[in-house]
Amino acid sequence: MFNKRTKIKQLLQSEQTGHEVTVMGWVRTFRNNQFIALNDGSTNNNVQVVVELGLLDDATLKRITTGASLKVNGIVVASVGKGQSIEVKAKSLEILGDSDAEKYPLQPKKHSLEFLRHIAHLRFRTNTFGSVFRIRHSLAFAVHQFFNDKGFVYLHTPIITASDAEGAGEMFQVTTLPIDGSAPKYPDGSINYNEDFFGKPTNLTVSGQLEGELGAMAFSEIYTFGPTFRAENSNTTRHLAEFWMIEPEMAFYDIEDNMNLAEEFIKYLIQYAMDHNRDDIEFLSQRLAEEEKQLPQDKRSELGLIEKLEFVLNNAFERITYTDAINILLESNHYKKKKFTYDIKWGIDLQSEHERYLVEKHFKKPVIVTGYPAAIKAFYMRMNDDGKTVAAMDILAPGIGEIVGGSQREERLDKLEARMKDMHIPAEEMSWYLDTRRFGTVPHAGFGLGFERMVQFVTGMTNIRDVIAFARTPKNCEF
Ligand code: ATP
Ligand code: MN
């Protein structure tokens, strides 16, 4: 058997000595023709492999370069060197794969995140991305743990959809018709989608919510966790064209139950990473502190990453209405000094500068905003008794802005139909959705958490492109 190895994380944790082990991994550094720092991705900590003089011939020694992969068999001994309590004294060493030192792009020095984005196929091998992607994994696992423990059913909603009513963002069309102009057309020149693969126009999903609601009307509580696609033509540090979203949908929940669940969920995810990825979070915390030293004092965060996470865990999220939010903004010195780019008045969609002011300057903690004007929100959100606002809730997080968007859904058929008519949403095409209101409708609610934004929050990474393996953004689809 080839793969009888000890993972480096496990080896370093056990601190036992005297026994024989096999370790495999990639060379990070090789010093004095004697000390190899070997990493296998299980942790950022390398194991030191000591190659005693005379064990290997010169030709083999030359092949131990940064990035080369090795299989090492040896004895675990106490280390006299600094920074590690044990090391492996090699008995035999096999080079599994060479790595040409002249050509290998990852040198043992600090590279910029920007540079690493261009070599995203290799960046997993750096400490920063090792930590980020182990945390991403943990958070994904924790999502399932959280909902499974609560008895939610994991529903796989479709990736290809024919419904364009959600209106959550611009969609990518899915078609097998030729795009060179030769697609079958009607006499008036419009495309005959009867001839297309599905016999109608289809898109990549922007949200699994509408299908999620169908599930909630049978299982009571469901969640989805899958990829979503938005042809967002905005180059920001918080938008991707392909991102992962978690969307729980619950029958017998009102807006308050919804907020409570979302807050509990976010805290659970943070706590899970703190408990299971402490080393990685500590590493990233230091990295962020280093990075922020370059910034002017007023641009630096008041709290370090770990302190920020602890603070969020230990404090209730602020809960305010949209109307409160507008008033706070209007009364701020920031507004009086005309420092906002976008105008503020009741009815506007809060811009990211407004959201950031509320969480970063005013409250200095996550904020849940409810009761948005109906006019700026989707058709399915429940109308409040004032007839002007809907039972929507957005959660805004420091450094990120909107991390969750959700609402109590309109369960009253007549109100929902009227709203759809107002918004020119064809009721015939949405008949399947309206059936849930026709047959045993119940109060229900749900929300969407952007998974990458959550990973950004926990890792402190400022650019969303650095928390997904291979980012899809406008004019960029590499790897
Ligand atoms: P934003 O105003 O930031 O564009 P949104 O209002 O379009 O967000 P929703 O439609 O409510 O967002 O989607 C639910 C969640 O999905 C958001 O709170 C956010 O966390 C995440 N999200 C939305 N769009 C993107 C995107 N393009 N890339 C990554 N995450 C996203
Ligand atoms: Mn958006």
Side-chain angles (χ1 to χ4, degrees):
M1 185 169 51
F2 177 72
N3 192 353
K4 195 160 193 281
R5 70 176 172 119
T6 303
K7 285 204 184 185
I8 290 170
K9 181 178 180 179
Q10 193 190 332
L11 181 66
L12 295 177
Q13 265 167 2
S14 86
E15 297 193 353
Q16 277 177 358
T17 56
H19 56 292
E20 197 171 322
V21 286
T22 301
V23 286
M24 297 182 215
W26 293 266
V27 176
R28 285 285 173 89
T29 57
F30 186 31
R31 285 187 298 120
N32 300 347
N33 259 354
Q34 216 182 342
F35 303 108
I36 305 169
L38 196 71
N39 188 282
D40 68 359
S42 57
T43 159
N44 273 348
N45 301 318
N46 306 316
V47 68
Q48 172 152 289
V49 174
V50 183
V51 184
E52 293 197 323
L53 294 175
L55 180 76
L56 301 172
D57 56 40
D58 277 0
T60 311
L61 284 172
K62 281 214 177 66
R63 293 170 60 200
I64 304 176
T65 54
T66 299
S69 48
L70 308 182
K71 173 179 181 180
V72 179
N73 182 266
I75 305 291
V76 182
V77 297
S79 177
V80 288
K82 273 204 307 244
Q84 69 257 331
S85 59
I86 56 138
E87 60 192 23
V88 175
K89 198 170 117 188
K91 276 172 53 181
S92 69
L93 183 152
E94 186 186 332
I95 295 179
L96 299 174
D98 290 289
S99 171
D100 185 338
E102 304 277 279
K103 295 189 181 135
Y104 189 55
L106 277 180
Q107 294 305 316
K109 62 160 199 173
K110 201 168 156 37
H111 293 292
S112 73
L113 295 175
E114 173 70 32
F115 170 78
L116 293 171
R117 251 168 250 149
H118 292 290
I119 52 162
H121 58 304
L122 296 171
R123 68 179 177 171
F124 299 126
R125 297 186 190 187
T126 64
N127 283 339
T128 298
F129 289 95
S131 291
V132 167
F133 285 96
R134 279 188 297 270
I135 292 171
R136 186 181 163 114
H137 157 78
S138 267
L139 291 173
F141 187 81
V143 166
H144 292 296
Q145 188 78 57
F146 177 82
F147 288 116
N148 185 63
D149 287 351
K150 288 187 177 295
F152 282 52
V153 170
Y154 179 27
L155 189 69
H156 293 102
T157 50
I159 305 290
I160 299 175
T161 75
S163 99
D164 61 359
E166 223 277 339
E170 289 300 307
M171 301 208 264
F172 288 101
Q173 193 180 349
V174 175
T175 180
T176 53
L177 292 177
I179 55 162
D180 61 4
S182 65
K185 296 198 181 64
Y186 289 114
D188 71 356
S190 63
I191 290 174
N192 178 1
Y193 281 104
N194 287 321
E195 302 290 319
D196 201 352
F197 189 91
F198 296 105
K200 55 168 124 173
T202 49
N203 304 290
L204 292 178
T205 185
V206 292
S207 158
Q209 180 203 316
L210 299 186
E211 292 91 349
E213 283 185 57
L214 311 180
M217 290 304 116
F219 299 108
S220 311
E221 295 166 323
I222 64 97
Y223 70 106
T224 72
F225 184 7
T228 24
F229 307 86
R230 296 185 187 179
E232 312 250 24
N233 213 347
S234 53
N235 260 305
T236 76
T237 54
R238 327 175 287 127
H239 287 93
L240 292 164
E242 176 180 302
F243 65 99
W244 288 66
M245 188 152 56
I246 299 130
E247 294 180 279
E249 193 67 39
M250 300 76 62
F252 321 115
Y253 268 56
D254 66 9
I255 187 78
E256 203 182 328
D257 301 316
N258 203 24
M259 287 192 272
N260 293 342
L261 183 76
E263 180 168 344
E264 184 190 344
F265 179 43
I266 289 173
K267 287 179 171 171
Y268 180 91
L269 294 179
I270 294 171
Q271 188 66 57
Y272 191 92
M274 293 277 255
D275 292 345
H276 295 82
N277 300 78
R278 192 73 198 186
D279 285 1
D280 287 322
I281 294 180
E282 266 163 21
F283 175 83
L284 291 170
S285 183
Q286 274 168 25
R287 194 202 74 85
L288 196 64
E290 282 299 310
E291 197 181 77
E292 291 204 340
K293 279 191 194 151
Q294 325 284 330
L295 298 174
Q297 191 75 42
D298 65 322
K299 291 255 158 31
R300 293 184 206 162
S301 324
E302 283 170 36
L303 301 179
L305 178 61
I306 293 185
E307 293 160 315
K308 177 190 82 176
L309 296 174
E310 274 166 357
F311 180 82
V312 170
L313 284 176
N314 296 328
N315 289 280
F317 294 5
E318 195 69 36
R319 298 181 183 195
I320 60 168
T321 65
Y322 168 90
T323 305
D324 295 337
I326 293 290
N327 289 336
I328 290 169
L329 292 168
L330 287 174
E331 279 158 26
S332 69
N333 277 330
H334 210 76
Y335 175 77
K336 288 173 188 154
K337 290 187 189 153
K338 301 196 183 337
K339 285 199 189 156
F340 289 115
T341 311
Y342 292 88
D343 197 22
I344 299 165
K345 60 169 188 273
W346 200 95
I348 60 154
D349 206 352
L350 295 179
Q351 299 294 323
S352 108
E353 58 172 353
H354 306 141
E355 298 178 341
R356 297 191 73 148
Y357 179 86
L358 289 170
V359 287
E360 284 156 34
K361 297 272 184 305
H362 191 84
F363 289 111
K364 297 179 194 281
K365 58 166 149 164
V367 177
I368 313 183
V369 184
T370 53
Y372 283 82
I376 57 168
K377 289 289 183 185
F379 75 94
Y380 49 73
M381 298 191 180
R382 192 176 196 279
M383 188 62 75
N384 288 328
D385 293 341
D386 61 11
K388 291 197 305 198
T389 62
V390 287
M393 58 157 219
D394 280 5
I395 303 186
L396 314 175
I400 309 282
E402 182 187 328
I403 193 164
V404 160
S407 68
Q408 183 172 340
R409 317 307 188 190
E410 182 57 81
E411 84 283 12
R412 299 160 295 188
L413 182 64
D414 53 335
K415 293 228 164 31
L416 186 58
E417 280 178 333
R419 189 88 205 284
M420 287 171 73
K421 206 164 162 211
D422 278 355
M423 296 176 75
H424 308 289
I425 296 168
E428 321 80 66
E429 280 170 37
M430 297 294 291
S431 188
W432 52 272
Y433 181 73
L434 293 172
D435 268 358
T436 54
R437 276 62 168 178
R438 290 187 186 111
F439 309 115
T441 193
V442 296
H444 66 289
F447 62 86
L449 170 79
F451 186 56
E452 282 75 19
R453 292 195 190 169
M454 188 66 212
V455 181
Q456 275 188 283
F457 191 73
V458 174
T459 58
M461 300 300 284
T462 46
N463 195 319
I464 199 165
R465 293 166 182 80
D466 295 331
V467 299
I468 189 161
F470 303 107
R472 273 78 182 94
T473 51
K475 302 282 180 288
N476 172 45
C477 193
E478 297 300 316
F479 313 105

